[in-house]
Amino acid sequence: MNEKALESAYRAHFPVFRVHPDLIYLDHAATSQKPLSVVEAIQNQMVSENGSPHRGAHQLSVKSTEIYEGGRQQVMAFIGGLDPREIVFTKNTTESLNLIAYSYGMTFLKPKDEIAILISSHHSNIVPWQVVSQKTGAKLVYLLVDQEGKLPETELKKINERTQIVTFPWVSNGIGTKLEPRQLIKKAHEMGAIAIIDAAQVAGHERINVIELDADFLAFSGHKMFAPQGIGVLYGKYELLDKMPPFLTGGDMIEYVTCFETTYEAVPKRFEAGTQNVSGVKGLVAAIDFIEQIGLDAIKTHEHKLTQYMMMRLKELSFITIYGPETLNDRGALVVFNVEGIHPHDVASILDDHGIAIRAGHHCTQPLMQHLGLTATCRASYSIYNSERDVDDLVKALYKVRQVFGYDD
Ligand SMILES: Cc1ncc(COP(=O)(O)O)c(C=O)c1O
């Protein structure tokens, strides 16, 4: 198949473009569009397979349990895991990170301990640790990235024998930089700390292997990788999860309850209180099937080409400042930029008038913005449903944005 045919074949999987044929969706990093196979899988589950998992003895309940526990196996395989007990279903990356902070952090951190956080982290990987720090007396230590979002070797020295936790985004949603996670994990382990990877911008973009990474925890959201909103994943090493107390309590996570005491279920059910999101798991499994069918290598190649093309085209515009690394291999599937003289919110809203959806603002990375001396930026992020034509249309529309503000480029 030639390039053009491949692009239309990719786009044809997504019904949103039948409803909005002219839409140029460049906000994949915020949430992905959904392939028909995912929509149909969820519809099928809701119509013919709906019951409460883990509870009843009737057929629909048994079917729901099969979907849910089968999903756990499939997610485990998707990230190279070996033990399904190491997969906890959550709502999203935010809940996964909160679970670690509240359960592991609150239990094991003491005054004078240190939590090393990459400054380019999303708020969901900062705010929970601030709360934990205030409650336990553990100190937050920020690892500072350079102007390109890369981590200088010298910053690794901040990880020392007091460090108990090292937490970082594999790909930063705020600047687009991709880190080498193994370097940080190795350093954390050398100092006796655990390493947490926020893989929200990596899942569905490239292969993850938690065993090769030797990650202690890894978090991601289904909705950023073609699955519905409301389903997320926390991977955690069994020996860590097993010693952690529950995060939320109530139904389904207990062994035995008396009026004043409760014993808890084993891992991972201990962390899955209440009726779970079986439709979400069904959609997540369908999304994984979709990704495997397209092929992670093909996805990565397509996104890499788009990054290259987007960087090249945006660089031609004298009024654009691009942030993040020069080297393509150090970038995720997003480009962050500013338009000279125009606030990012105005840029986004005028682009929207031209049918182009981008994200503008601080991208939930205010500490990074403060560190880089920025207040807001524009972000174009993409996936297999985007093409070089989308980039050309973005460039044309950016000239129009400048014209609205009286510039004559
Ligand atoms: C790197 C990163 N971490 C965490 C999150 C939070 O994801 P969610 O809102 O799905 O919990 C995002 C969302 O943009 C993200 O990009």
Side-chain angles (χ1 to χ4, degrees), residues 29 92-94 122 124 171 173 198 200-201 221 223-224:
N92 46 34
T93 309
T94 303
H122 188 274
S124 59
V171 167
N173 65 305
D198 172 354
Q201 295 298 343
S221 300
H223 72 95
K224 292 182 195 286

Side-chain angles (χ1 to χ4, degrees), residues 325-346:
E326 270 298 315
T327 36
L328 293 178
N329 285 340
D330 296 316
R331 284 186 161 271
L334 58 120
V335 176
V336 174
F337 61 93
N338 263 327
V339 180
E340 194 189 311
I342 308 172
H343 192 279
H345 283 139
D346 291 327

Side-chain angles (χ1 to χ4, degrees), residues 71-85 87 210:
R72 203 190 297 283
Q73 297 274 351
Q74 234 170 305
V75 169
M76 178 196 78
F78 180 63
I79 59 169
L82 295 172
D83 182 347
R85 295 174 304 177
I87 303 297
V210 286

Side-chain angles (χ1 to χ4, degrees), residues 110-302:
K110 304 179 299 307
K112 300 211 172 62
D113 283 345
E114 292 183 2
I115 306 163
I117 306 180
L118 212 78
I119 190 99
S120 49
S121 293
H122 188 274
H123 292 166
S124 59
N125 203 12
I126 292 180
V127 185
W129 297 111
Q130 290 177 349
V131 175
V132 168
S133 157
Q134 284 151 14
K135 291 250 159 61
T136 62
K139 188 175 154 202
L140 301 184
V141 175
Y142 282 94
L143 307 183
L144 303 180
V145 296
D146 63 17
Q147 282 301 116
E148 288 190 309
K150 294 182 180 167
L151 186 68
E153 285 264 336
T154 46
E155 285 297 297
L156 288 177
K157 291 199 193 109
K158 291 181 179 168
I159 303 171
N160 58 50
E161 44 305 313
R162 289 184 300 283
T163 313
Q164 299 300 320
I165 289 172
V166 177
T167 189
F168 61 93
W170 188 340
V171 167
S172 155
N173 65 305
I175 187 165
T177 313
K178 189 191 319 178
L179 292 182
E180 172 42 77
R182 262 170 284 238
Q183 184 196 28
L184 275 158
I185 295 168
K186 187 164 166 275
K187 179 73 184 183
H189 290 170
E190 275 166 18
M191 292 298 152
I194 61 157
I196 303 168
I197 307 180
D198 172 354
Q201 295 298 343
V202 176
H205 294 280
E206 59 184 278
R207 197 157 294 287
I208 296 175
N209 187 312
V210 286
I211 307 293
E212 277 172 18
L213 286 167
D214 199 14
D216 296 295
F217 292 104
L218 181 135
F220 59 96
S221 300
H223 72 95
K224 292 182 195 286
M225 46 167 279
F226 308 120
Q229 295 170 347
I231 186 75
V233 174
L234 172 65
Y235 160 84
K237 281 186 180 159
Y238 178 78
E239 64 266 27
L240 295 175
L241 290 174
D242 190 44
K243 64 180 184 177
M244 287 159 53
F247 168 46
L248 299 172
T249 53
D252 233 28
M253 51 72 68
I254 55 94
E255 225 171 37
Y256 197 69
V257 183
T258 65
C259 286
F260 297 103
E261 273 183 12
T262 298
T263 52
Y264 303 125
E265 265 278 17
V267 166
K269 284 184 73 187
R270 187 189 304 163
F271 299 108
E272 295 173 348
T275 307
Q276 293 299 297
N277 184 358
V278 180
S279 313
V281 171
K282 182 84 185 194
L284 181 58
V285 166
I288 291 173
D289 288 343
F290 175 76
I291 289 166
E292 300 292 4
Q293 192 194 329
I294 302 281
L296 271 165
D297 289 342
I299 294 176
K300 197 174 166 184
T301 305
H302 185 79

Side-chain angles (χ1 to χ4, degrees), residues 16-76:
V16 65
F17 300 115
R18 277 178 237 160
V19 182
H20 306 285
D22 297 328
L23 172 67
I24 296 176
Y25 189 75
L26 291 169
D27 200 16
H28 183 90
T31 201
S32 64
Q33 294 300 337
K34 315 305 172 198
L36 186 61
S37 58
V38 169
V39 177
E40 285 178 344
I42 297 168
Q43 188 186 20
N44 190 40
Q45 184 275 333
M46 287 189 168
V47 171
S48 58
E49 301 171 331
N50 180 47
S52 180
H54 303 135
R55 298 264 168 94
H58 62 80
Q59 285 179 31
L60 287 174
S61 174
V62 171
K63 183 69 196 167
S64 280
T65 310
E66 278 169 18
I67 292 170
Y68 192 77
E69 293 305 326
R72 203 190 297 283
Q73 297 274 351
Q74 234 170 305
V75 169
M76 178 196 78

